[in-house]
Amino acid sequence: MEFKISKELIAQLQELIQGNNSTALEALLADMHQADIAEILDELTIDEATYIFKVLESEKTAEILLEMEDDLREKILSRLSPKEIAEELDELETNDAADIIAELSREKKEEVIQEIEDIEHAKDIVELLRYKENTAGGLMHKELVKVNENWTVLHCVKEMRIQAENISRVHSIYVVDDEDRLKGRLSLKDLLVSSTKKAISDIYIRKLNWVNVDTEDTEVARIMQKYDLEAIPVVDEMGRLVGRITIDDIVDVIKEEADKDYQLAAGISQDVEADDSILELTRARLPWLVLALLGGMISVHVLGLFEGAMDGHRNLFFFTPLIAAMAGNVGVQSSAIIVQGLANNTLSGTVFQRLVKEVSLTLLNGIILAAILFLGSHFLLQVDTTIGIIVGIALITVIVIASLIGTFVPLLLDKFGIDPALATGPFITTSNDICGILIYFSIAKLILGF
Amino acid sequence: MEFKISKELIAQLQELIQGNNSTALEALLADMHQADIAEILDELTIDEATYIFKVLESEKTAEILLEMEDDLREKILSRLSPKEIAEELDELETNDAADIIAELSREKKEEVIQEIEDIEHAKDIVELLRYKENTAGGLMHKELVKVNENWTVLHCVKEMRIQAENISRVHSIYVVDDEDRLKGRLSLKDLLVSSTKKAISDIYIRKLNWVNVDTEDTEVARIMQKYDLEAIPVVDEMGRLVGRITIDDIVDVIKEEADKDYQLAAGISQDVEADDSILELTRARLPWLVLALLGGMISVHVLGLFEGAMDGHRNLFFFTPLIAAMAGNVGVQSSAIIVQGLANNTLSGTVFQRLVKEVSLTLLNGIILAAILFLGSHFLLQVDTTIGIIVGIALITVIVIASLIGTFVPLLLDKFGIDPALATGPFITTSNDICGILIYFSIAKLILGF
């Protein structure tokens, strides 16, 4: 069951906007989910969207703002005054507010922060702005329920009531000492069955998972997935509890990370989608194509080196795209398996074991493929046997080397702290194309002696 | 902060196993998380792992079973009697139990179900086995809290206490009518502040999201992400509440879907990882390579058709890998953007608009690339101007057509209900290689007339 935008609804909204009928507009949108309203605004002109935005309560528009496409949000924010933006932020959780502020210009950012009414909220937002985007600090929010280990159960319950008011989902109660250092967590059940005079230190659970502010977001995602956590506390360098990350934020990290790896493998720089502008798409796609083109020019040069073969062995040249394509395909397979293994932390064994495995695997595949190619060359393409043998041997050699490049380049990048996904896609196909062609003709030259 | 397996720990465990010291083993593993124990078992021999498995309580081993790699789980289950497996299943939530049963042979499946002690639990598991794996029915579990709209608040609270006992996280309370049809949900807060005599029908919220048993799992994931839901109820064809899906199950769906698309784009059939056996990896990789090889043989044949060019225009052949590679790269970019747009439901506009956009985009890229190639051919590769012009024109034509193939093949597959991700990777590069070479030499022939 899901909401679908209809043309009738859009027409009806436009009519109400033109008629300046804000009451009817509010009534019409009252029961709709913020995610649906965000979709509707995307179908309207920016003037119409801004009109609706100003008609609705900031409690509602703040949530809508979060659900919008980045482009639309940017446009709408540019039409709001710092005071109006601050009103939206007052309604949001700290990390959502910080994410929105981070998109503003430096100047507007300061003006907006000045206008936030709740000083504590503003302080928290400013603190969050300090952390890098792809760390636990950049992901966490300040909203959480924490109690002191020295409190009694009674005191604790009273304090919790106050704290829980600002939090949509409690998930966990964290226990800290007088210095705010994270000590453990409290189960709601234990709290409810304990005598009100008991000290928290007697009933809390000392074992819990936590991350540091500078833990990478993908690492946080991995830990939360591994231990099936719905929330995880974040501590600073001194072990003090500074925030909390919840599973819904992690879902976004997982999605973004997967999308990023996928796009890199396809030769697209991060963060574009089909509906972005031609200029944005070009910026994401062209650099990889230029890289591939330059690689292609090297392969032209390499082929030129073997021009001598043209005199007696023209057939050899017909096989170059096949050899290059197979090198590329095998390289991409190998690198994809390594990139995914690194991302999911499922690689085991030593580098030498991996080398032996990859070579055996590709040898097995290579022999089967070379046999097919040899038979195909002989019966279908009717090339003479020597050429058939040469392309067969070359195919095995080329794909073994291509798979080694595909395996070890990402491992090497990872070792140096570079995203191994960069080594997939055009990078690996292009370098394997060149290597493949070079190896193929070298083998041919060795055998035929042109 | 995360647990790391040490060699010392493994050695210590092995010593205890050899000494048959089950008490010390239990004590050592008592405080460890099931996910960590699953990792430890993976480092031991299957005999040692089975020994530990039989020493620990089924409450604990059931959870460990869920966290294990598929291979290890299969091996361990094969060493347990139907009664022992049934004891594990008694401890698990219905969907987890059903997932494990589904992996067993038909015969063992029946024996295990016979042995489950809790008849209601067994009934629920059997019901879940009926649903297809990639639907809401296959994803949901039966554990949920539901109340009748005709009950009073008092009756409701009593019933909830009983129901909540088997459920790790309540998330939501669902309201049904006498026929078990889903009517809405109840907020815990409203329940607590209402008079105990009030009827549930007076206080429940009628608006809520739900899915059908046969809704696809990726669609469920999309809805839950869009509306930020931590749980969603599942209804059958008659609108009766039959189960519930929680966010942790959805995290797995998102992860698997992304992994699958990524692997398909790299020419790997679903569900292998770096540590699988050479045979499994070959099964996942070889078919795609054979496909690419057959495509390659077609390209050999196509090139043979233009053998005449060898007499006066040898240089032309040096550019074939470049043209083929560029066709492949552009095709993969275009298809990746479409596949991701389809997966994230972010494609808008008509097919014609997409066509215009894709052609403009690739024309823009193509002109820039052709200029670089022309200059490179002239100054670096020192090819004569006519050839430079031919490869330039060919490059533009080839990549425009490659991008159209890359855009429309996935759209077409999607229209016919086939996974569009199949069109990425080797499939698109191979067909674009062939098209590219054919177009390139046709243009050359037209201009040079060989």
Side-chain angles (χ1 to χ4, degrees), chain B residues 167-286:
Chain B
I167 297 170
S168 49
R169 287 151 184 161
V170 173
H171 286 299
S172 293
I173 306 157
Y174 300 117
V175 179
V176 295
D177 66 10
D178 288 336
E179 306 297 327
D180 232 11
R181 282 181 297 229
L182 181 65
K183 305 296 279 186
R185 68 187 171 83
L186 197 59
S187 118
L188 199 58
K189 211 171 119 194
D190 288 341
L191 190 67
L192 296 178
V193 298
S194 299
S195 136
T196 52
K197 284 176 191 161
K198 241 184 175 159
I200 295 300
S201 55
D202 291 337
I203 57 168
Y204 80 81
I205 301 157
R206 277 157 177 84
K207 213 177 139 53
L208 91 168
N209 291 84
W210 45 265
V211 290
N212 279 307
V213 278
D214 53 3
T215 305
E216 266 188 55
D217 56 358
T218 48
E219 179 66 12
V220 179
R222 218 177 49 67
I223 293 174
M224 289 186 72
Q225 276 183 86
K226 178 174 171 187
Y227 296 118
D228 272 330
L229 305 175
E230 294 200 341
I232 196 167
V234 183
V235 302
D236 69 5
E237 294 76 1
M238 292 176 63
R240 289 177 301 197
L241 177 63
V242 288
R244 183 181 74 149
I245 296 171
T246 48
I247 187 77
D248 48 318
D249 300 316
I250 288 303
V251 169
D252 296 339
V253 171
I254 294 171
K255 194 87 190 58
E256 276 166 27
E257 187 64 17
D259 281 359
K260 192 208 68 189
D261 282 359
Y262 183 72
Q263 295 200 327
L264 282 177
I268 303 169
S269 309
Q270 208 174 337
D271 258 2
V272 285
E273 49 183 62
D275 284 351
D276 284 344
S277 74
I278 288 184
L279 209 73
E280 283 170 301
L281 284 166
T282 297
R283 212 158 28 210
R285 292 170 63 165
L286 192 58

Side-chain angles (χ1 to χ4, degrees), chain A residues 332-400:
Chain A
V332 168
Q333 285 184 338
S334 305
S335 64
I337 285 190
I338 294 296
V339 167
Q340 216 158 49
L342 287 168
N344 299 339
N345 211 13
T346 54
L347 292 185
S348 63
T350 64
V351 172
F352 181 74
Q353 286 170 331
R354 198 146 295 287
L355 182 127
V356 171
K357 183 169 182 181
E358 195 60 30
V359 171
S360 331
L361 172 72
T362 333
L363 258 181
L364 175 65
N365 285 348
I367 291 168
I368 298 171
L369 293 167
I372 299 174
L373 179 59
F374 178 79
L375 294 174
S377 310
H378 192 75
F379 293 106
L380 298 175
L381 303 168
Q382 303 184 331
V383 186
D384 63 75
T385 318
T386 325
I387 300 281
I389 291 171
I390 290 172
V391 292
I393 294 173
L395 184 65
I396 297 175
T397 321
V398 162
I399 68 176
V400 167

Side-chain angles (χ1 to χ4, degrees), chain A residues 31 36 207 226-227 255 263 267 274-276 282 285 311 314 333 340 344 346 348 354 357 365, chain B residues 31 36 207 226-227 255 263 267 274-276 282 285 311 314 333 340 344 346 348 354 357 365:
Chain A
D31 269 351
D36 295 325
K207 214 178 139 52
K226 179 175 169 183
Y227 296 118
K255 193 88 190 61
Q263 296 200 328
D275 284 352
D276 284 343
T282 297
R285 291 170 65 165
D311 294 323
R314 291 178 165 190
Q333 285 184 338
Q340 216 158 49
N344 299 339
T346 54
S348 63
R354 198 146 295 287
K357 183 169 182 181
N365 285 348
Chain B
D31 268 351
D36 294 324
K207 213 177 139 53
K226 178 174 171 187
Y227 296 118
K255 194 87 190 58
Q263 295 200 327
D275 284 351
D276 284 344
T282 297
R285 292 170 63 165
D311 294 323
R314 291 178 168 192
Q333 284 184 338
Q340 217 159 45
N344 299 339
T346 54
S348 63
R354 200 145 292 286
K357 182 168 182 181
N365 286 348

